Amino acid sequence: MAKATEKIIVGVDGSEASIEALRQGQRLARATGARLEAWGCWEYPAGYEGYLAMGVEGFAHEAEEKLERAIREAFGPERPRDVVLRLVHGSPRTELVDGSRQASLLVVGRRGHGGFAGMLLGSVSGACVAHAHCPVLVVHTPGSEVSVA
């Protein structure tokens, strides 16, 4: 049984791989008794100062909708009670690595857009593997095949 303070953080960007990461994270959280937090990170786009006149609340709202949509795709219309949503302002790489200081596990998806025949990790998953302060589980898109030849 996990300690009450243990948690699993799942980085969610709305991709199929992050939706599968949610499923795997919840499975592991339930098995260990850890709390599951689904993190949706968002940033202002480059040159956001031009958007200030129109308002910047839309960026956070869009990220929140993407997070909610991913939760529905992962678990259906009823969000599991043991899944906590967290909207985080900042770079996903920076925020997930920083958040890993208080996590027992960090789970991220790998969309397979890396180079060398798709074998390299993406920028977020690679940064998490290299710099996280806890173990990292990298989840592939369901049905994806990884060739190592």
Side-chain angles (χ1 to χ4, degrees), residues 3-130:
K3 296 178 214 163
T5 59
E6 289 188 9
K7 69 178 168 182
I8 295 174
I9 296 173
V10 179
V12 180
D13 65 3
S15 67
E16 287 183 47
S18 74
I19 291 166
E20 183 61 22
L22 277 168
R23 293 181 185 119
Q24 296 302 320
Q26 185 194 38
R27 184 179 61 81
L28 292 168
R30 284 187 172 169
T32 62
R35 185 176 77 235
L36 180 73
E37 290 187 7
W39 284 29
C41 300
W42 67 279
E43 303 179 85
Y44 295 119
Y48 81 93
E49 295 85 5
Y51 294 97
L52 288 175
M54 297 183 314
V56 292
E57 304 82 28
F59 299 116
H61 181 70
E62 183 178 326
E64 184 177 29
E65 285 181 343
K66 186 184 292 185
L67 182 57
E68 291 279 356
R69 192 168 37 252
I71 293 293
R72 282 191 304 275
E73 287 185 43
F75 306 119
E78 290 292 321
R79 182 173 81 205
R81 290 179 181 226
D82 57 348
V83 177
V84 176
L85 305 187
R86 183 158 179 221
L87 197 58
V88 182
H89 177 229
S91 160
R93 287 177 289 208
T94 302
E95 297 303 324
L96 290 170
V97 168
D98 189 47
S100 73
R101 292 178 191 275
Q102 287 81 40
S104 53
L105 180 67
L106 177 60
V107 185
V108 292
R110 177 188 169 275
R111 293 189 273 180
H113 292 221
F116 195 65
M119 288 176 48
L120 298 178
L121 296 174
S123 62
V124 173
S125 57
C128 290
V129 167

